[in-house]
Amino acid sequence: MIISSMVKNGAILCGFALLTTGLVATINTLTADKIAEQEQLQLTNQLQEVLPHSKYSNELSQDCVIISDQLLGPYDNQVIYRARKDNEPVALVIRHVTPSGYSGDINLLSAVYRDGTVAGVRVTKHEETPGLGDKVEIKKSDWITTFNAKTVQSESDDRWAVKKDGGQFDQFTGATITPRAVVGSVKNAVLYAQDNFDALFTAANACPEVTP
């Protein structure tokens, strides 16, 4: 009797486990496409924030190269999107990271036109102090827009620093480390774009190999 009861209970538990596993698998299948759609929409919105859609005619999110270079941060495989207008190179939209934020990594997206000027910059991820360093976010202040239309003349261009260091960019009251890190990272991204613009546009497309 005891053995029979154990077998019966085991069968019930096994059936419940199989049912639960099936439900989880079904839910994952049903939501996978929706998640991918939302990720693609988020990527498209980010790209259009730094580079107006009117400036290019290709599918920007599907035209990219993958780069590992210290100018773009300490991590490998940064994605660079290539904007074209009627098949002519227009701009690069570069993902880059600075590890020099007050609270760690700051992830950025910077668009650079063919002539080396900045189209736009956005911080896409950070852990900076609320009310201080988080002013790098566009929803917190318009500081990040001060990069628009600026260019880097050379690696020694001392204008690319916060005003406390003799440069042209404002720092935040009580938070100089964060804007200093962002300015330095954007400067490096612009220099990389200027030095590699043509070569990046002739490289093979890597976008089918990555997810947004």
Side-chain angles (χ1 to χ4, degrees):
M1 181 69 70
I2 295 176
I3 295 176
S4 176
S5 178
M6 290 175 63
V7 171
K8 181 178 179 181
N9 289 338
I12 292 172
L13 288 173
C14 182
F16 182 76
L18 290 172
L19 178 61
T20 301
T21 301
L23 286 173
V24 170
T26 301
I27 291 172
N28 285 340
T29 300
L30 293 174
T31 59
D33 289 344
K34 188 65 175 179
I35 291 172
E37 181 181 331
Q38 289 300 315
E39 288 176 343
Q40 184 63 36
L41 179 61
Q42 181 183 19
L43 173 60
T44 299
N45 290 339
Q46 286 181 343
L47 294 174
Q48 291 184 6
E49 280 191 39
V50 296
L51 186 66
H53 188 262
S54 61
K55 297 295 184 180
Y56 57 93
S57 56
N58 63 320
E59 289 292 336
L60 185 54
S61 65
Q62 298 302 310
D63 191 344
C64 72
V65 290
I66 301 174
I67 297 296
S68 298
D69 192 285
Q70 286 298 306
L71 281 177
L72 305 183
Y75 308 114
D76 292 338
N77 301 327
Q78 297 294 346
V79 182
I80 300 179
Y81 301 95
R82 301 176 292 191
R84 309 171 194 260
K85 186 79 168 180
D86 299 327
N87 292 323
E88 290 297 318
V90 171
L92 296 168
V93 183
I94 304 172
R95 289 197 180 279
H96 52 109
V97 181
T98 173
S100 303
Y102 183 79
S103 300
D105 289 349
I106 301 175
N107 293 50
L108 298 114
L109 192 66
S110 297
V112 184
Y113 287 120
R114 188 169 195 169
D115 65 0
T117 59
V118 176
V121 178
R122 291 291 185 273
V123 169
T124 59
K125 184 180 179 182
H126 73 89
E127 300 294 337
E128 301 303 278
T129 307
L132 294 173
D134 66 348
K135 292 176 184 175
V136 294
E137 293 181 37
I138 189 65
K139 63 183 180 182
K140 300 290 184 180
S141 83
D142 63 358
W143 178 84
I144 201 72
T145 65
T146 58
F147 291 100
N148 295 3
K150 289 183 170 59
T151 190
V152 182
Q153 293 180 349
S154 68
E155 188 175 346
S156 60
D157 190 343
D158 56 12
R159 299 173 305 155
W160 279 76
V162 295
K163 290 180 179 177
K164 186 176 182 179
D165 299 333
Q168 63 182 328
F169 296 94
D170 290 333
Q171 59 268 344
F172 308 146
T173 302
T176 301
I177 293 175
T178 303
R180 181 184 285 144
V182 171
V183 170
S185 188
V186 175
K187 176 185 178 182
N188 287 340
V190 175
L191 284 170
Y192 186 85
Q194 292 174 343
D195 292 343
N196 298 279
F197 195 92
D198 291 336
L200 290 170
F201 270 92
T202 59
N205 185 22
C207 267
E209 301 173 14
V210 298
T211 54

